[in-house]
Protein backbone atom coordinates (compact mmCIF):
# COMPACT_ATOMS: atom_id res chain seq x y z
CA UNK A 1 0.00 0.00 0.00
CA UNK A 2 1.31 3.44 -0.90
CA UNK A 3 1.83 5.59 2.22
CA UNK A 4 -0.89 8.16 2.88
CA UNK A 5 1.19 11.32 2.74
CA UNK A 6 -0.78 13.66 4.90
CA UNK A 7 0.46 16.22 7.43
CA UNK A 8 -0.17 15.49 11.09
CA UNK A 9 -2.47 17.82 13.07
CA UNK A 10 -0.63 20.61 14.86
CA UNK A 11 0.43 19.61 18.34
CA UNK A 12 0.87 21.44 21.57
CA UNK A 13 -2.64 22.89 21.76
CA UNK A 14 -2.60 22.91 25.56
CA UNK A 15 1.00 22.52 26.60
CA UNK A 16 0.84 24.87 29.62
CA UNK A 17 -0.69 24.12 32.98
CA UNK A 18 -4.33 25.17 33.03
CA UNK A 19 -3.71 27.82 35.69
CA UNK A 20 -1.64 29.77 33.16
CA UNK A 21 -4.32 29.41 30.49
CA UNK A 22 -7.00 31.22 32.42
CA UNK A 23 -8.35 28.12 34.16
CA UNK A 24 -11.72 26.80 33.06
CA UNK A 25 -12.68 30.26 31.79
CA UNK A 26 -10.03 30.14 29.06
CA UNK A 27 -10.06 26.47 28.08
CA UNK A 28 -12.28 25.45 25.14
CA UNK A 29 -13.44 21.86 25.54
CA UNK A 30 -16.44 21.82 23.21
CA UNK A 31 -17.67 23.11 19.89
CA UNK A 32 -20.96 23.92 18.20
CA UNK A 33 -21.14 23.25 14.47
CA UNK A 34 -23.78 25.15 12.52
CA UNK A 35 -24.47 23.60 9.13
CA UNK A 36 -26.91 24.09 6.30
CA UNK A 37 -27.74 20.47 5.50
CA UNK A 38 -25.22 20.24 2.65
CA UNK A 39 -22.28 17.89 3.16
CA UNK A 40 -19.86 20.19 1.31
CA UNK A 41 -20.37 22.93 3.90
CA UNK A 42 -20.74 20.77 7.00
CA UNK A 43 -17.66 18.67 6.20
CA UNK A 44 -15.58 21.85 6.28
CA UNK A 45 -16.78 22.64 9.81
CA UNK A 46 -16.27 19.11 11.08
CA UNK A 47 -12.86 18.91 9.41
CA UNK A 48 -11.74 22.03 11.28
CA UNK A 49 -13.14 20.68 14.56
CA UNK A 50 -11.24 17.42 14.01
CA UNK A 51 -8.01 19.29 13.31
CA UNK A 52 -8.47 21.20 16.57
CA UNK A 53 -8.75 17.96 18.54
CA UNK A 54 -12.43 18.44 19.39
CA UNK A 55 -13.77 15.48 17.41
CA UNK A 56 -16.49 13.80 19.44
CA UNK A 57 -16.98 16.93 21.53
CA UNK A 58 -19.14 18.93 19.19
CA UNK A 59 -22.87 19.33 18.68
CA UNK A 60 -24.39 19.72 15.21
CA UNK A 61 -27.11 22.30 14.63
CA UNK A 62 -28.68 23.01 11.26
CA UNK A 63 -30.23 25.93 9.49
CA UNK A 64 -32.35 24.03 7.00
CA UNK A 65 -34.40 25.57 4.22
CA UNK A 66 -37.55 23.85 3.00
CA UNK A 67 -36.82 22.18 -0.31
CA UNK A 68 -38.65 20.97 -3.35
CA UNK A 69 -41.49 22.33 -5.46
CA UNK A 70 -42.33 26.00 -5.00
CA UNK A 71 -39.56 26.42 -2.39
CA UNK A 72 -36.99 26.97 -5.13
CA UNK A 73 -38.71 30.31 -5.81
CA UNK A 74 -38.07 31.54 -2.26
CA UNK A 75 -34.38 30.79 -1.79
CA UNK A 76 -33.63 34.54 -1.82
CA UNK A 77 -35.61 34.99 1.42
CA UNK A 78 -34.01 34.80 4.87
CA UNK A 79 -34.39 31.25 6.15
CA UNK A 80 -36.74 32.14 9.01
CA UNK A 81 -39.14 33.91 6.65
CA UNK A 82 -38.84 31.14 4.07
CA UNK A 83 -39.84 28.55 6.69
CA UNK A 84 -42.92 30.59 7.64
CA UNK A 85 -43.93 31.01 4.00
CA UNK A 86 -43.52 27.27 3.45
CA UNK A 87 -45.60 26.49 6.54
CA UNK A 88 -48.36 28.91 5.51
CA UNK A 89 -48.61 27.61 1.95
CA UNK A 90 -48.75 24.01 3.11
CA UNK A 91 -51.36 24.86 5.73
CA UNK A 92 -53.73 26.13 3.08
CA UNK A 93 -53.06 23.27 0.68
CA UNK A 94 -56.44 21.67 0.03
CA UNK A 95 -56.90 17.99 -0.54
CA UNK A 96 -60.50 17.40 -1.51
CA UNK A 97 -62.47 19.75 0.73
CA UNK A 98 -60.11 19.57 3.69
CA UNK A 99 -57.24 21.74 4.71
CA UNK A 100 -54.25 19.45 5.16
CA UNK A 101 -52.26 20.36 8.29
CA UNK A 102 -48.53 20.17 7.92
CA UNK A 103 -46.73 17.22 9.48
CA UNK A 104 -43.06 17.16 10.54
CA UNK A 105 -42.29 14.77 7.70
CA UNK A 106 -43.73 17.16 5.11
CA UNK A 107 -42.15 20.36 6.35
CA UNK A 108 -38.81 19.50 4.80
CA UNK A 109 -37.03 20.62 7.97
CA UNK A 110 -34.26 18.62 9.57
CA UNK A 111 -34.90 16.49 12.65
CA UNK A 112 -31.40 17.42 13.85
CA UNK A 113 -31.23 20.26 16.39
CA UNK A 114 -32.52 23.41 14.77
CA UNK A 115 -30.00 26.25 14.93
CA UNK A 116 -31.56 28.79 17.28
CA UNK A 117 -29.13 31.64 18.02
CA UNK A 118 -30.84 32.66 21.26
CA UNK A 119 -30.82 29.13 22.68
CA UNK A 120 -27.20 28.48 21.72
CA UNK A 121 -26.07 31.83 23.14
CA UNK A 122 -28.04 31.18 26.34
CA UNK A 123 -26.41 27.76 26.68
CA UNK A 124 -22.95 29.31 26.24
CA UNK A 125 -23.61 31.94 28.92
CA UNK A 126 -25.22 29.59 31.44
CA UNK A 127 -22.50 26.92 31.20
CA UNK A 128 -19.50 29.24 30.92
CA UNK A 129 -18.38 29.13 34.56
CA UNK A 130 -18.65 25.35 34.67
CA UNK A 131 -17.47 24.33 31.20
CA UNK A 132 -15.67 27.35 29.76
CA UNK A 133 -16.19 29.07 26.40
CA UNK A 134 -17.75 27.53 23.30
CA UNK A 135 -16.15 27.38 19.87
CA UNK A 136 -18.80 28.05 17.21
CA UNK A 137 -17.96 26.96 13.64
CA UNK A 138 -20.39 27.70 10.80
CA UNK A 139 -20.32 27.35 7.03
CA UNK A 140 -22.73 28.31 4.27
CA UNK A 141 -24.68 31.44 3.44
CA UNK A 142 -27.77 30.47 5.45
CA UNK A 143 -25.71 30.08 8.64
CA UNK A 144 -24.30 33.63 8.61
CA UNK A 145 -27.14 35.32 10.47
CA UNK A 146 -27.26 32.62 13.16
CA UNK A 147 -23.49 32.59 13.80
CA UNK A 148 -23.25 36.38 13.91
CA UNK A 149 -26.25 36.59 16.25
CA UNK A 150 -24.62 34.14 18.66
CA UNK A 151 -21.53 36.34 18.81
CA UNK A 152 -23.68 39.42 19.39
CA UNK A 153 -25.68 37.74 22.18
CA UNK A 154 -22.76 36.06 23.98
CA UNK A 155 -19.55 37.89 22.96
CA UNK A 156 -17.66 36.99 26.17
CA UNK A 157 -18.57 33.30 26.05
CA UNK A 158 -18.01 32.21 22.44
CA UNK A 159 -15.44 32.32 19.68
CA UNK A 160 -17.17 32.34 16.29
CA UNK A 161 -15.49 31.06 13.12
CA UNK A 162 -17.32 31.54 9.80
CA UNK A 163 -16.09 29.36 6.94
CA UNK A 164 -16.62 30.73 3.41
CA UNK A 165 -16.82 34.45 2.80
CA UNK A 166 -19.86 36.07 4.50
CA UNK A 167 -19.76 38.86 1.87
CA UNK A 168 -19.97 41.80 4.27
CA UNK A 169 -19.55 42.99 7.87
CA UNK A 170 -16.65 40.71 8.76
CA UNK A 171 -16.57 42.29 12.22
CA UNK A 172 -19.57 40.10 13.10
CA UNK A 173 -17.17 37.15 13.49
CA UNK A 174 -14.00 36.42 15.44
CA UNK A 175 -12.38 34.73 12.43
CA UNK A 176 -13.34 34.16 8.80
CA UNK A 177 -11.75 31.26 6.90
CA UNK A 178 -12.22 31.43 3.14
CA UNK A 179 -10.43 30.38 -0.09
CA UNK A 180 -8.22 32.92 -1.85
CA UNK A 181 -10.37 32.69 -4.95
CA UNK A 182 -13.26 34.32 -3.04
CA UNK A 183 -11.22 37.54 -3.36
CA UNK A 184 -10.88 37.12 -7.11
CA UNK A 185 -13.44 39.94 -7.77
CA UNK A 186 -10.86 42.42 -6.46
CA UNK A 187 -8.17 41.44 -8.99
CA UNK A 188 -7.52 43.64 -12.04
CA UNK A 189 -8.52 40.81 -14.38
CA UNK A 190 -11.86 40.36 -12.63
CA UNK A 191 -12.49 44.10 -12.57
CA UNK A 192 -12.21 44.11 -16.36
CA UNK A 193 -15.02 41.53 -16.50
CA UNK A 194 -17.41 43.55 -14.30
CA UNK A 195 -19.38 46.46 -15.79
CA UNK A 196 -18.39 49.66 -14.00
CA UNK A 197 -21.92 50.28 -12.67
CA UNK A 198 -21.92 46.85 -10.95
CA UNK A 199 -18.49 47.02 -9.32
CA UNK A 200 -19.69 48.60 -6.08
CA UNK A 201 -22.15 45.72 -5.62
CA UNK A 202 -19.61 42.92 -6.11
CA UNK A 203 -18.37 41.35 -2.88
CA UNK A 204 -15.96 41.29 -1.25
CA UNK A 205 -15.35 45.01 -1.58
CA UNK A 206 -12.15 45.22 0.50
CA UNK A 207 -8.93 43.18 0.70
CA UNK A 208 -8.74 40.65 3.57
CA UNK A 209 -7.90 42.07 6.98
CA UNK A 210 -6.37 40.45 10.05
CA UNK A 211 -9.51 38.53 10.96
CA UNK A 212 -9.54 36.73 7.58
CA UNK A 213 -7.49 33.57 6.96
CA UNK A 214 -7.09 32.57 3.32
CA UNK A 215 -6.85 28.97 2.15
CA UNK A 216 -6.10 27.53 -1.28
CA UNK A 217 -9.09 25.19 -1.37
CA UNK A 218 -11.85 23.90 0.86
CA UNK A 219 -11.43 22.48 4.35
CA UNK A 220 -12.35 18.81 4.75
CA UNK A 221 -12.28 15.78 7.05
CA UNK A 222 -9.77 13.67 5.11
CA UNK A 223 -6.95 13.86 7.67
CA UNK A 224 -4.33 11.20 8.43
CA UNK A 225 -6.35 9.50 11.15
CA UNK A 226 -9.53 9.25 9.08
CA UNK A 227 -7.72 7.92 6.01
CA UNK A 228 -5.86 5.33 8.08
CA UNK A 229 -9.20 4.19 9.41
CA UNK A 230 -10.63 4.13 5.87
CA UNK A 231 -7.63 2.16 4.63
CA UNK A 232 -8.35 -0.48 7.24
CA UNK A 233 -12.11 -0.50 6.65
CA UNK A 234 -11.67 -0.91 2.87
CA UNK A 235 -8.64 -3.20 2.99
CA UNK A 236 -10.45 -6.38 1.92
CA UNK A 237 -12.08 -4.69 -1.08
CA UNK A 238 -9.29 -2.44 -2.34
CA UNK A 239 -5.91 -3.70 -1.12
CA UNK A 240 -5.67 -6.64 -3.52
CA UNK A 241 -6.78 -4.78 -6.65
CA UNK A 242 -4.19 -4.73 -9.44
CA UNK A 243 -2.05 -1.61 -9.34
CA UNK A 244 -1.94 1.20 -10.20
CA UNK A 245 -5.45 2.04 -9.05
CA UNK A 246 -6.93 5.06 -10.83
CA UNK A 247 -9.96 6.65 -9.16
CA UNK A 248 -12.24 8.90 -11.23
CA UNK A 249 -14.56 11.30 -9.38
CA UNK A 250 -17.27 12.92 -11.48
CA UNK A 251 -19.32 15.86 -10.24
CA UNK A 252 -21.87 17.88 -12.17
CA UNK A 253 -22.19 21.01 -14.22
CA UNK A 254 -22.41 24.32 -12.36
CA UNK A 255 -23.03 27.88 -13.48
CA UNK A 256 -19.27 28.52 -13.40
CA UNK A 257 -18.12 25.11 -14.76
CA UNK A 258 -20.58 24.07 -17.43
CA UNK A 259 -20.42 20.75 -19.22
CA UNK A 260 -22.58 17.82 -20.19
CA UNK A 261 -22.56 14.95 -22.67
CA UNK A 262 -19.63 16.47 -24.58
CA UNK A 263 -17.30 16.27 -21.57
CA UNK A 264 -18.57 12.79 -20.70
CA UNK A 265 -17.64 11.58 -24.20
CA UNK A 266 -14.24 13.27 -23.97
CA UNK A 267 -13.59 11.70 -20.55
CA UNK A 268 -14.65 8.28 -21.84
CA UNK A 269 -12.23 8.49 -24.77
CA UNK A 270 -9.35 9.64 -22.55
CA UNK A 271 -9.96 6.85 -20.02
CA UNK A 272 -9.97 4.28 -22.82
CA UNK A 273 -6.60 5.64 -23.92
CA UNK A 274 -4.99 5.27 -20.48
CA UNK A 275 -6.69 2.05 -19.42
CA UNK A 276 -3.73 -0.01 -20.65
CA UNK A 277 -1.54 1.61 -17.96
CA UNK A 278 -4.02 0.99 -15.12
CA UNK A 279 -4.23 -2.12 -13.03
CA UNK A 280 -7.71 -1.09 -11.91
CA UNK A 281 -10.10 1.77 -12.59
CA UNK A 282 -12.90 2.81 -10.20
CA UNK A 283 -15.47 5.47 -11.10
CA UNK A 284 -17.75 7.35 -8.70
CA UNK A 285 -20.55 9.77 -9.49
CA UNK A 286 -21.76 12.49 -7.15
CA UNK A 287 -25.38 13.35 -6.40
CA UNK A 288 -25.00 16.25 -8.86
CA UNK A 289 -23.94 14.06 -11.79
CA UNK A 290 -26.61 14.21 -14.53
CA UNK A 291 -28.01 10.86 -15.62
CA UNK A 292 -27.10 11.61 -19.24
CA UNK A 293 -23.44 11.84 -18.16
CA UNK A 294 -23.39 8.72 -15.98
CA UNK A 295 -25.24 6.74 -18.65
CA UNK A 296 -22.42 7.30 -21.16
CA UNK A 297 -19.72 6.00 -18.83
CA UNK A 298 -21.86 3.07 -17.66
CA UNK A 299 -22.49 2.03 -21.27
CA UNK A 300 -18.79 2.23 -22.14
CA UNK A 301 -17.20 0.58 -19.09
CA UNK A 302 -19.76 -1.58 -17.29
CA UNK A 303 -18.56 -4.71 -19.07
CA UNK A 304 -14.83 -4.15 -18.58
CA UNK A 305 -13.31 -6.41 -15.88
CA UNK A 306 -10.74 -3.73 -15.01
CA UNK A 307 -13.43 -1.17 -14.22
CA UNK A 308 -15.76 -0.84 -11.24
CA UNK A 309 -18.48 1.83 -11.18
CA UNK A 310 -20.11 2.66 -7.87
CA UNK A 311 -23.85 2.94 -8.46
CA UNK A 312 -24.68 4.81 -5.27
CA UNK A 313 -25.89 1.69 -3.46
CA UNK A 314 -24.29 0.43 -0.27
CA UNK A 315 -21.58 2.24 1.64
CA UNK A 316 -19.84 5.12 -0.07
CA UNK A 317 -16.27 4.17 -1.07
CA UNK A 318 -15.05 7.79 -1.24
CA UNK A 319 -12.75 7.68 1.80
CA UNK A 320 -11.48 4.25 0.84
CA UNK A 321 -10.65 5.58 -2.61
CA UNK A 322 -8.74 8.52 -1.12
CA UNK A 323 -6.72 6.10 1.01
CA UNK A 324 -5.95 3.42 -1.58
CA UNK A 325 -5.83 5.23 -4.95
CA UNK A 326 -2.52 5.69 -6.74
CA UNK A 327 -3.87 8.58 -8.83
CA UNK A 328 -7.06 10.56 -9.41
CA UNK A 329 -8.98 12.04 -12.32
CA UNK A 330 -11.49 14.66 -11.15
CA UNK A 331 -13.93 16.92 -12.98
CA UNK A 332 -13.11 20.58 -12.36
CA UNK A 333 -16.49 21.60 -10.92
CA UNK A 334 -15.93 20.42 -7.34
CA UNK A 335 -13.61 22.45 -5.08
CA UNK A 336 -14.20 19.93 -2.27
CA UNK A 337 -13.21 16.84 -4.26
CA UNK A 338 -10.16 18.62 -5.64
CA UNK A 339 -9.08 19.81 -2.19
CA UNK A 340 -9.36 16.34 -0.65
CA UNK A 341 -7.41 14.64 -3.42
CA UNK A 342 -4.71 17.33 -3.45
CA UNK A 343 -4.13 16.83 0.28
CA UNK A 344 -2.93 13.24 -0.28
CA UNK A 345 0.22 14.08 -2.26
CA UNK A 346 -0.83 11.64 -5.00
CA UNK A 347 -1.11 12.59 -8.70
CA UNK A 348 -4.31 14.50 -9.47
CA UNK A 349 -5.45 14.99 -13.06
CA UNK A 350 -8.24 17.46 -13.88
CA UNK A 351 -10.66 17.43 -16.78
CA UNK A 352 -12.88 20.34 -17.74
CA UNK A 353 -10.88 23.16 -16.13
CA UNK A 354 -10.94 25.16 -19.36
CA UNK A 355 -14.74 25.29 -19.04
CA UNK A 356 -14.61 27.05 -15.66
CA UNK A 357 -15.10 30.79 -15.40
CA UNK A 358 -14.83 33.57 -12.83
CA UNK A 359 -13.29 32.64 -9.46
CA UNK A 360 -13.40 28.89 -10.20
CA UNK A 361 -11.06 29.42 -13.14
CA UNK A 362 -8.80 31.30 -10.73
CA UNK A 363 -8.89 28.33 -8.32
CA UNK A 364 -7.87 25.91 -11.09
CA UNK A 365 -5.09 28.26 -12.13
CA UNK A 366 -3.73 28.43 -8.59
CA UNK A 367 -3.62 24.62 -8.36
CA UNK A 368 -1.71 24.35 -11.64
CA UNK A 369 0.76 27.03 -10.58
CA UNK A 370 1.43 25.16 -7.31
CA UNK A 371 2.06 21.97 -9.28
CA UNK A 372 -0.59 19.98 -7.42
CA UNK A 373 -2.70 19.14 -10.50
CA UNK A 374 -2.15 18.44 -14.16
CA UNK A 375 -4.67 18.49 -17.02
CA UNK A 376 -5.97 15.07 -18.04
CA UNK A 377 -5.15 14.61 -21.71
CA UNK A 378 -5.60 10.87 -22.27
CA UNK A 379 -1.88 10.56 -23.06
CA UNK A 380 -0.78 9.74 -19.49
CA UNK A 381 0.93 6.61 -18.22
CA UNK A 382 -0.81 6.16 -14.87
CA UNK A 383 2.03 3.95 -13.58
CA UNK A 384 4.33 7.00 -13.66
CA UNK A 385 3.98 8.95 -10.44
CA UNK A 386 4.85 12.57 -9.62
CA UNK A 387 4.93 14.49 -6.40
CA UNK A 388 4.18 17.93 -4.94
CA UNK A 389 3.65 19.61 -1.60
CA UNK A 390 0.17 18.50 -0.53
CA UNK A 391 -2.47 21.07 0.29
CA UNK A 392 -2.54 21.55 4.05
CA UNK A 393 -5.46 23.97 4.39
CA UNK A 394 -7.35 22.34 7.26
CA UNK A 395 -4.33 22.01 9.54
CA UNK A 396 -3.13 25.53 8.70
CA UNK A 397 -6.61 26.92 9.42
CA UNK A 398 -6.63 25.10 12.78
CA UNK A 399 -3.30 26.69 13.65
CA UNK A 400 -4.73 30.11 12.81
CA UNK A 401 -7.70 29.46 15.09
CA UNK A 402 -5.30 28.56 17.92
CA UNK A 403 -3.38 31.78 17.31
CA UNK A 404 -6.55 33.88 17.33
CA UNK A 405 -7.77 32.19 20.50
CA UNK A 406 -4.46 32.95 22.18
CA UNK A 407 -5.08 36.61 21.44
CA UNK A 408 -8.07 36.38 23.76
CA UNK A 409 -6.18 34.38 26.36
CA UNK A 410 -8.00 31.18 25.41
CA UNK A 411 -6.73 27.79 24.28
CA UNK A 412 -8.01 24.40 23.18
CA UNK A 413 -7.95 21.79 25.94
CA UNK A 414 -7.64 18.22 24.72
Amino acid sequence: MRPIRLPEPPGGFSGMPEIFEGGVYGAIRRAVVIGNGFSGAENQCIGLVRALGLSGRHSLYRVTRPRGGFNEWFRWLPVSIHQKVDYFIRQITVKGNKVMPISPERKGLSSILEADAKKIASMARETFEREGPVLVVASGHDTISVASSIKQLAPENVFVVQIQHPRSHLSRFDLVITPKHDYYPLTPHAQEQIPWFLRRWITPRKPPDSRVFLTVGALHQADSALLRSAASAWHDELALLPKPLLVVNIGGSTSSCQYGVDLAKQLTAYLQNVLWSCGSLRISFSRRTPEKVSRILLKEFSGDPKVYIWDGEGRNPHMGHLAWADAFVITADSVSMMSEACSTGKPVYVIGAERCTWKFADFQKSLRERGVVRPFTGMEDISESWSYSPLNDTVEAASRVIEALAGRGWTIQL
Side-chain angles (χ1 to χ4, degrees):
M1 172 184 171
R2 173 178 292 205
I4 302 169
R5 299 193 296 273
L6 286 172
E8 296 294 338
F13 285 172
S14 56
M16 293 187 293
E18 189 176 27
I19 187 173
F20 295 112
E21 297 172 343
V24 67
Y25 304 117
I28 291 181
R29 300 176 172 87
R30 59 210 168 123
V32 163
V33 169
I34 302 176
N36 59 2
F38 291 93
S39 58
E42 293 182 359
N43 282 342
Q44 295 199 63
C45 297
I46 297 172
L48 180 61
V49 168
R50 285 179 59 88
L52 289 167
L54 294 173
S55 180
R57 289 189 282 161
H58 69 273
S59 301
L60 175 60
Y61 294 78
R62 276 188 181 149
V63 182
T64 311
R65 283 187 180 275
R67 299 179 191 172
F70 59 82
N71 283 301
E72 299 305 311
W73 302 343
F74 300 117
R75 296 191 65 82
W76 56 273
L77 291 172
V79 176
S80 59
I81 297 177
H82 187 175
Q83 290 172 345
K84 292 175 182 177
V85 170
D86 173 66
Y87 181 85
F88 175 76
I89 292 176
R90 290 182 184 275
Q91 282 283 5
I92 62 175
T93 299
V94 178
K95 186 174 183 179
N97 294 321
K98 296 182 179 180
V99 175
M100 299 299 295
I102 188 168
S103 66
E105 292 75 22
R106 296 184 64 204
K107 278 182 71 175
L109 301 181
S110 174
S111 61
I112 292 178
L113 293 170
E114 184 69 17
D116 185 310
K118 292 182 179 179
K119 290 182 179 179
I120 296 172
S122 177
M123 175 275 293
R125 290 194 303 267
E126 292 171 2
T127 61
F128 180 74
E129 291 190 9
R130 184 176 68 256
E131 300 182 38
V134 177
L135 176 69
V136 178
V137 184
S139 180
H141 178 71
D142 288 339
T143 70
I144 292 171
S145 61
V146 175
S148 60
S149 294
I150 293 171
K151 175 173 167 58
Q152 184 179 22
L153 293 168
E156 304 301 320
N157 312 108
V158 299
F159 187 92
V160 178
V161 178
Q162 185 71 35
I163 300 174
Q164 298 179 339
H165 203 287
R167 298 187 181 274
S168 62
H169 304 296
L170 302 187
S171 60
R172 294 178 293 173
F173 311 96
D174 293 295
L175 185 65
V176 171
I177 299 173
T178 191
K180 294 177 182 177
H181 59 258
D182 274 354
Y183 279 87
Y184 174 71
L186 298 181
T187 64
H189 187 260
Q191 290 289 304
E192 293 176 0
Q193 302 174 56
I194 305 171
W196 66 268
F197 57 88
L198 292 178
R199 290 176 188 171
R200 63 173 298 183
W201 305 106
I202 297 296
T203 57
R205 301 188 187 112
K206 298 179 181 179
D209 60 22
S210 60
R211 76 177 67 238
V212 178
F213 179 77
L214 298 180
T215 63
V216 177
L219 307 189
H220 54 81
Q221 296 190 58
D223 56 23
S224 299
L226 194 61
L227 289 192
R228 290 191 187 102
S229 176
S232 176
W234 287 91
H235 177 276
D236 292 348
E237 184 168 340
L238 301 180
L240 299 181
L241 290 178
K243 296 289 187 175
L245 168 58
L246 176 64
V247 167
V248 180
N249 291 329
I250 302 172
S253 180
T254 68
S255 59
S256 298
C257 292
Q258 296 186 11
Y259 63 84
V261 170
D262 53 344
L263 187 70
K265 291 180 178 179
Q266 181 183 15
L267 175 60
T268 298
Y270 287 0
L271 290 175
Q272 287 285 19
N273 286 347
V274 304
L275 193 57
W276 67 271
S277 66
C278 300
S280 307
L281 173 63
R282 289 177 69 96
I283 301 173
S284 290
F285 304 112
S286 78
R287 284 177 289 184
R288 295 187 298 106
T289 307
E291 184 179 354
K292 60 185 179 181
V293 170
S294 59
R295 192 185 303 122
I296 290 173
L297 282 102
L298 284 165
K299 179 180 179 181
E300 186 69 27
F301 293 108
S302 58
D304 195 310
K306 270 191 175 185
V307 182
Y308 171 84
I309 302 177
W310 183 54
D311 59 5
E313 298 296 325
R315 58 178 183 158
N316 190 330
H318 181 62
M319 286 296 172
H321 286 172
L322 285 173
W324 285 100
D326 294 295
F328 302 92
V329 171
I330 301 177
T331 55
D333 56 275
S334 176
V335 174
S336 295
M337 289 194 301
M338 298 285 297
S339 300
E340 289 173 335
C342 292
S343 73
T344 66
K346 302 173 185 179
V348 179
Y349 299 98
V350 183
I351 188 166
E354 70 283 356
R355 299 164 188 252
C356 294
T357 60
W358 196 235
K359 66 180 184 178
F360 296 95
D362 190 59
F363 170 63
Q364 295 294 337
K365 178 183 176 183
S366 71
L367 294 184
R368 291 194 301 272
E369 290 177 345
R370 293 172 69 96
V372 298
V373 303
R374 295 181 182 179
F376 186 49
T377 65
M379 304 297 290
E380 292 79 9
D381 180 347
I382 302 303
S383 65
E384 295 181 358
S385 184
W386 45 277
S387 61
Y388 53 88
S389 296
L391 294 189
N392 199 18
D393 287 327
T394 308
V395 172
E396 290 173 357
S399 296
R400 180 66 183 91
V401 172
I402 297 300
E403 180 183 331
L405 285 171
R408 290 184 60 171
W410 290 357
T411 187
I412 301 287
Q413 176 145 339
L414 302 182

